[in-house]
Amino acid sequence: MDVNQVLESTLSPDATTRGNAEKQLLQAAEVDFSGYVTTLAQELANESAQPHIRTAAGIALKNSFSSREYARLREVQQRWLQQVDTEVKRQVKVLALGTLSSSDARAGQSAAQFIASIAAIEIPRDQWPELMPTLVQSVGEGADHLKQASLTTIGFICETEDNDLRDSLAQHSNAILTAVVQGARKEETNADVRNAAISALGDSLEFVRTNFENEGERNYIMQVICEATQSEDNRIQQGAFGCLNRIMGLYYDKMRFYMEKALFGLTIMGMKSEEEDVAKLAVEFWCTVCEEEIAIEDDNAQAQAEGATEMRPYFNFSRVATTEVVPVLLLLLTKQDEDAADDDYNVARAAYQCLQLYAQAVGNAIIPPVLGFVEANLRHEDWNNRDAAVSAFGAVVEGPDDAMLHPLVQQALPVLIGMMDDKVVQVKDSAAYALGRICESVPDAIDASTHLPSLITSLFGGLSSNPKMAASCCWALMNLADRFAGEPGCQENPLSKHFQESITHLLAVTERNEADNQLRTAAYEVLNSFVTNAATDSLPMVAKLSDVILQRLEGTIPMQSQVVAVEDRITLEEMQTSLVSVLIAIIGRLEREIKPQSDRIMRTLLEVLRTVGPKSSVPDTVFAGVGALANALEEDFAPYMEAFSQPLYNALGNQEEPGLCSMAIGLVSDIVRSLGELSQPYCDTFMNYLLDNLRSTSLSNQFKPAILQCFGDIAQAISGHFETYLSVVAQVLQQASSVNASADGSYEMLEYVISLREGIMDAWGGIILAMKASKKTPLLQPYIESIFHLLSLVWQDQNRSEGLLRSAMGVIGDLADAFPGGEYAKYYRADWITHMIKETKCNREFSSRTIDTARWAREQVKRQTSGAQGVQQT
């Protein structure tokens, strides 16, 4: 293999050439990983090689040590540990460290990433002890480009998400701090070096807690960072404010002295900086302050409610600084850019976000300065000021007391509604968003007779006037629909008078030729919300709406064969998705009353499935529509299974499209729950596909809990007929029960084990109920011990969710109820069973559903241990 040629090809603009080159590298790594790493490290270190070849070598090295999946990452790391001998490792590391001193900055950067990859493997295992001292020495004595590359390496090492490495870095905090603080001092004359040091310092702050506990060291670190906020180099200023943000989040309890002496003034001055990126980071500092103080107040309130005496330190930084910080935020709100895209994050948007948090942190104290600003600028001739005034009012409607907000909102509503007619679209958009915030946060201040008619009219007017306002107007209308929905099943609600007009308006907006995809999709979402929140007196109009939606959906089917351009196909599929989503809302609201339309609905959905192109997201929504119809019709859905079963089987077996396969698994659960024993003819095929998916290596582990849960649904549906599958499924459940997360495992692995166990419990719950209903409980006897073993694992493991405990309570109770003669009383007399039920029953944070299940389980256990007759759960 010509290494240079292959590396050059990995950078080719041609996808085929690039793909072939990457394949060659993968094969080379598989055949001889030790030689592969050595060759690439030599090429990376080769000063006579072309810069882009060295970069390609660095990328290939980094890729050979990385993976997004935790399990795969551990596999590639094991190759380094097991397939590369000690001398080769030493040579490769020497080459990588030597490359840091290269005059080619890109090669140094690549070497830094590669070194960080090796460090993630070796530092947690107490290997490569000379790495940190070498990097510190390079920062202290090396040339400027070596200093910069060494500091960048430290930054890469510290920004790791690898739990093992994060745990180990605290042991190296002295070395890390020595290097980064030395490079970050104002005495450092090279701005690139100082910038790299400040960046690395920000990444390392989490690992230097011991040093931060030492007042002398903490003072010096804070001095260096505060001095960096005054640098003439904007990059260094940004990095310094970024450090202050992280420090406030990590070490709030240590910040009182520094806030009083420096940080109040420095951050307010930073917010006023002409350099927008600096100003944004200074604003974000106060966002962090507010977030911390909101969290501390919540934690302390909870601790107090639980009778605890130890509280987190709370210094009221945000409240003390209200009169200084809030006026600056209000001024920054006037810095809008009229050409900014919706997703641009500029200083005005940062200020708006901070003002929202400030209102939640200080409550009523935010009102006087904001109200003064609003009154002074609401009629200002400059649109920026009018927009800022409207935005400011909308930002502070969550946080202050309702008693203070209600009269202000009621006074402001007519004015804000009037601002929907402003001549500048940005002001109108901000008014619509502010109205949406009011609908969401202070809904009781809106009077149905006084405000609702003009509010609906203004929002629909905004929706029609400019596509830029679509998102804000639609969000406000959805919040409005939620606010005035009334009690579930109510005969009428305040929306009833406006329902027909609203539906007509939304249908007109979605059919306008000039409507773009964003506007059309948003309008359909509003339509969903109005349908979902329709009162009973509006149901005839909902039923008529189904005709219109079905007609439009039918009209899209011939278009599939006519579209050629990618953009047109995207537009068509977004339209189909929106129409099916409205159909789902209609089915959900009409429930069994949808039956007169069900033939037409299924015929249309099947035709959409038949004509839609590959790799489309439309089938996901269609499957959700079929699930909604099955839930509504229950056993009356059976006639459609003959036509629908094959598309469902195809999706269950489509492992190349995991999203669709996942939807199909969920849909099987919906269908069997709806059909009950009528689903039995299809269960052989369902079970075969589900078991194949469990064994698949191409589907991620995240599919397994849903599949196990589906087994339980099938069991409950077909009752005693599940006997056919019992032994196979029981074996699967027993194998799955053995999966554990190690104490140092990733968060994702912990979450997976919890969801897997919940799926196992749900499966056993369904199976137990099925066997009891069919009088086949003796078939469960071989599995009783393994079920209790899993329950004990759940009890012993502190990583458990409410859902898992609720499912466990269900299994405990169902099993006791299935054997009312006390046959398994010895298991139920175990102390841990009693403790598990009591802890679940007494947890105040759990829902009433979970607590009720635990109470029911306790009663069944009492009957089991006393040998009394069990009662069936109702």
Side-chain angles (χ1 to χ4, degrees):
M1 179 178 75
D2 184 342
V3 175
N4 280 355
Q5 183 60 50
V6 174
L7 289 173
E8 180 127 29
S9 296
T10 63
L11 303 174
S12 170
D14 179 68
T16 304
T17 303
R18 194 169 61 251
N20 289 336
E22 290 168 353
K23 197 171 183 180
Q24 280 184 272
L25 289 176
L26 283 172
Q27 288 172 343
E30 290 296 327
V31 171
D32 179 12
F33 185 67
S34 182
Y36 173 79
V37 173
T38 303
T39 302
L40 290 180
Q42 289 170 343
E43 206 57 44
L44 177 61
N46 185 359
E47 288 292 326
S48 61
Q50 296 182 54
H52 68 279
I53 296 294
R54 300 179 74 183
T55 300
I59 293 170
L61 279 168
K62 180 179 73 74
N63 289 345
S64 65
F65 282 83
S66 59
S67 175
R68 292 179 182 176
E69 288 192 7
Y70 178 79
R72 176 61 183 159
L73 176 63
R74 286 293 179 252
E75 284 179 20
V76 298
Q77 290 179 337
Q78 283 300 316
R79 289 196 304 189
W80 172 260
L81 292 169
Q82 296 173 0
Q83 297 180 23
V84 183
D85 67 41
T86 305
E87 179 55 26
V88 173
K89 287 178 186 174
R90 188 193 66 77
Q91 292 173 6
V92 167
K93 289 186 287 190
V94 167
L95 287 168
L97 285 169
T99 308
L100 292 178
S101 62
S102 172
S103 56
D104 180 350
R106 289 185 300 175
Q109 177 96 351
S110 295
Q113 291 178 313
F114 178 42
I115 291 167
S117 297
I118 299 176
I121 304 170
E122 297 204 345
I123 288 179
R125 293 170 173 82
D126 295 324
Q127 299 172 7
W128 209 359
E130 68 274 19
L131 173 61
M132 285 302 177
T134 301
L135 294 173
V136 173
Q137 184 178 2
S138 297
V139 172
E141 302 173 4
D144 285 347
H145 56 270
L146 175 56
K147 286 182 180 180
Q148 183 182 349
S150 299
L151 287 163
T152 300
T153 304
I154 293 172
F156 284 145
I157 292 171
C158 290
E159 72 178 11
T160 180
E161 294 182 4
D162 187 292
N163 288 331
D164 292 340
L165 179 55
R166 293 169 75 87
D167 292 341
S168 302
L169 283 176
Q171 302 168 23
H172 300 274
S173 61
N174 288 332
I176 292 170
L177 269 181
T178 299
V180 297
V181 172
Q182 184 173 344
R185 295 175 307 158
K186 65 181 180 182
E187 289 79 12
E188 174 56 63
T189 56
N190 186 299
D192 290 333
V193 171
R194 195 177 179 197
N195 179 50
I198 284 288
S199 178
L201 178 56
D203 291 324
S204 69
L205 286 166
E206 187 175 341
F207 310 111
V208 297
R209 188 170 294 276
T210 303
N211 306 79
F212 236 82
E213 293 292 333
N214 183 297
E215 184 179 357
E217 291 188 59
R218 184 171 68 245
N219 286 343
Y220 187 53
I221 295 168
M222 293 301 295
Q223 177 188 333
V224 169
I225 295 172
C226 289
E227 288 171 351
T229 65
Q230 305 305 297
S231 169
E232 294 180 359
D233 189 305
N234 289 328
R235 298 172 304 162
I236 297 170
Q237 284 189 47
Q238 290 171 41
F241 280 114
C243 284
L244 292 179
N245 290 352
R246 294 211 67 193
I247 288 170
M248 181 56 73
L250 291 166
Y251 305 109
Y252 173 93
D253 60 315
K254 301 285 190 297
M255 286 297 103
R256 189 171 192 170
F257 171 78
Y258 307 104
M259 288 293 279
E260 291 171 355
K261 295 296 182 183
L263 300 187
F264 276 116
L266 286 176
T267 53
I268 289 169
M269 187 164 61
M271 289 195 294
K272 296 177 180 178
S273 171
E274 291 298 315
E275 182 59 39
E276 184 174 63
D277 288 335
V278 172
K280 282 192 296 188
L281 283 161
V283 169
E284 286 171 16
F285 173 83
W286 285 101
C287 288
T288 305
V289 170
C290 292
E291 286 170 341
E292 281 299 307
E293 296 197 330
I294 291 166
I296 290 169
E297 281 200 289
D298 288 345
D299 290 347
N300 286 349
Q302 183 176 345
Q304 198 166 14
E306 293 173 354
T309 55
E310 189 174 339
M311 301 289 166
R312 292 179 61 188
Y314 180 62
F315 302 125
N316 258 319
F317 293 144
S318 53
R319 193 176 300 275
V320 170
T322 299
T323 55
E324 295 180 65
V325 174
V326 171
V328 181
L329 295 174
L330 294 168
L331 179 66
L332 292 176
L333 284 179
T334 67
K335 307 290 186 185
Q336 308 95 323
D337 178 1
E338 61 182 318
D339 298 321
D342 289 342
D343 56 352
D344 283 354
Y345 182 64
N346 53 36
V347 71
R349 287 176 180 165
Y352 180 86
Q353 179 185 21
C354 191
L355 201 59
Q356 282 183 300
L357 289 166
Y358 230 102
Q360 294 170 47
V362 305
N364 293 351
I366 197 81
I367 294 297
V370 169
L371 208 56
F373 178 81
V374 171
E375 290 171 348
N377 290 277
L378 202 56
R379 304 296 183 192
H380 202 284
E381 61 182 20
D382 187 331
W383 76 265
N384 293 83
N385 292 61
R386 295 198 305 277
D387 184 74
V390 171
S391 297
F393 190 86
V396 300
V397 295
E398 181 184 359
D401 297 337
D402 285 350
M404 173 171 273
L405 282 174
H406 276 211
L408 294 175
V409 168
Q410 289 176 338
Q411 185 181 350
L413 269 170
V415 181
L416 289 172
I417 291 169
M419 298 297 281
M420 291 289 291
D421 293 324
D422 195 278
K423 58 188 178 183
V424 178
V425 68
Q426 283 85 355
V427 179
K428 294 164 70 173
D429 185 41
S430 295
Y433 194 79
L435 291 169
R437 288 269 297 164
I438 289 169
C439 294
E440 180 186 50
S441 302
V442 207
D444 293 339
I446 304 171
D447 183 79
S449 56
T450 307
H451 303 127
L452 188 56
S454 56
L455 189 52
I456 285 182
T457 300
S458 67
L459 289 171
F460 275 122
L463 187 58
S464 301
S465 68
N466 195 302
K468 286 187 176 180
M469 296 176 61
S472 296
C473 289
C474 287
W475 182 67
L477 284 164
M478 285 190 286
N479 287 337
L480 196 67
D482 291 340
R483 156 67 180 92
F484 290 106
E487 293 297 319
C490 61
Q491 178 60 31
E492 62 176 336
N493 62 28
L495 292 175
S496 296
K497 297 177 184 176
H498 311 280
F499 191 82
Q500 181 63 64
E501 183 184 355
S502 299
I503 296 300
T504 302
H505 200 119
L506 289 164
L507 289 173
V509 168
T510 54
E511 207 167 31
R512 278 179 7 208
N513 291 330
E514 70 273 17
D516 63 5
N517 289 358
Q518 183 182 5
L519 171 58
R520 188 183 295 107
T521 300
Y524 276 126
E525 287 175 0
V526 179
L527 194 54
N528 285 353
S529 190
F530 270 75
V531 168
T532 300
N533 293 299
T536 303
D537 64 353
S538 299
L539 292 188
M541 287 175 269
V542 174
K544 287 182 181 177
L545 177 63
S546 66
D547 275 325
V548 178
I549 298 301
L550 279 168
Q551 186 176 356
R552 290 188 179 185
L553 185 58
E554 289 162 347
T556 65
I557 293 170
M559 297 181 190
Q560 282 286 3
S561 60
Q562 299 167 11
V563 293
V564 177
V566 173
E567 294 79 5
D568 292 340
R569 184 167 298 281
I570 291 171
T571 298
L572 175 60
E573 292 188 354
E574 285 182 355
M575 190 186 305
Q576 288 182 323
T577 298
S578 294
L579 289 165
V580 176
S581 297
V582 177
L583 201 54
I584 292 169
I586 292 170
I587 294 168
R589 191 64 193 88
L590 293 179
E591 296 177 325
R592 289 192 72 86
E593 299 302 314
I594 196 65
K595 193 168 185 237
Q597 289 276 39
S598 60
D599 285 358
R600 185 182 177 191
I601 290 171
M602 277 305 293
R603 186 170 59 249
T604 306
L605 292 179
L606 285 167
E607 192 61 20
V608 171
L609 277 180
R610 189 184 67 79
T611 56
V612 76
K615 306 297 182 184
S616 167
S617 61
V618 174
D620 292 17
T621 315
V622 170
F623 275 27
V626 173
L629 191 63
N631 289 333
L633 297 181
E634 296 180 329
E635 68 277 0
D636 288 339
F637 184 77
Y640 306 116
M641 279 302 294
E642 183 177 350
F644 181 65
S645 58
Q646 195 55 55
L648 180 54
Y649 297 154
N650 293 342
L652 276 174
N654 189 351
Q655 296 182 6
E656 293 180 2
E657 294 185 62
L660 183 60
C661 186
S662 176
M663 282 294 299
I665 293 166
L667 186 50
V668 169
S669 286
D670 288 339
I671 287 173
V672 298
R673 282 198 298 262
S674 298
L675 295 184
E677 291 203 0
L678 293 176
S679 63
Q680 189 193 341
Y682 308 96
C683 286
D684 277 356
T685 311
F686 287 159
M687 291 297 297
N688 284 333
Y689 277 114
L690 292 171
L691 289 166
D692 282 346
N693 287 340
L694 267 184
R695 291 188 287 264
S696 170
T697 56
S698 58
L699 293 177
S700 74
N701 283 338
Q702 306 310 317
F703 280 71
K704 292 179 181 177
I707 293 172
L708 300 182
Q709 188 177 43
C710 193
F711 289 156
D713 291 328
I714 291 172
Q716 271 194 269
I718 64 174
S719 192
H721 298 293
F722 195 79
E723 178 184 352
T724 307
Y725 317 114
L726 179 57
S727 61
V728 174
V729 171
Q731 185 179 5
V732 167
L733 297 179
Q734 288 170 326
Q735 289 173 346
S737 298
S738 65
V739 177
N740 289 297
S742 59
D744 57 349
S746 68
Y747 176 77
E748 291 77 13
M749 186 61 183
L750 293 174
E751 286 288 294
Y752 166 64
V753 170
I754 291 171
S755 62
L756 183 68
R757 288 175 175 173
E758 191 172 338
I760 299 168
M761 289 296 179
D762 288 340
W764 277 125
I767 292 168
I768 293 165
L769 291 173
M771 296 301 107
K772 180 177 183 294
S774 58
K775 301 187 178 0
K776 294 183 177 181
T777 51
L779 295 174
L780 294 171
Q781 290 176 355
Y783 315 114
I784 300 295
E785 187 172 347
S786 64
I787 293 173
F788 275 96
H789 178 66
L790 175 60
L791 287 167
S792 70
L793 287 178
V794 171
W795 168 244
Q796 293 163 24
D797 194 339
Q798 293 305 305
N799 296 301
R800 50 183 187 248
S801 65
E802 178 184 354
L804 174 56
L805 285 172
R806 181 171 60 246
S807 296
M809 293 299 105
V811 168
I812 289 170
D814 288 335
L815 203 53
D817 191 29
F819 295 94
E823 296 94 322
Y824 298 103
K826 65 175 183 178
Y827 292 109
Y828 285 100
R829 290 196 179 102
D831 289 341
W832 62 266
I833 287 278
T834 304
H835 292 315
M836 189 179 189
I837 294 173
K838 184 177 180 180
E839 183 178 298
T840 307
K841 180 172 64 72
C842 297
N843 192 317
R844 295 179 182 178
E845 295 181 2
F846 286 176
S847 66
S848 58
R849 179 186 167 200
T850 301
I851 292 168
D852 289 344
T853 305
R855 284 174 177 157
W856 174 80
R858 182 189 61 179
E859 292 305 313
Q860 299 310 308
V861 170
K862 282 182 180 177
R863 289 182 171 89
Q864 176 73 198
T865 53
S866 65
Q869 192 71 17
V871 292
Q872 187 172 356
Q873 182 181 12
T874 57

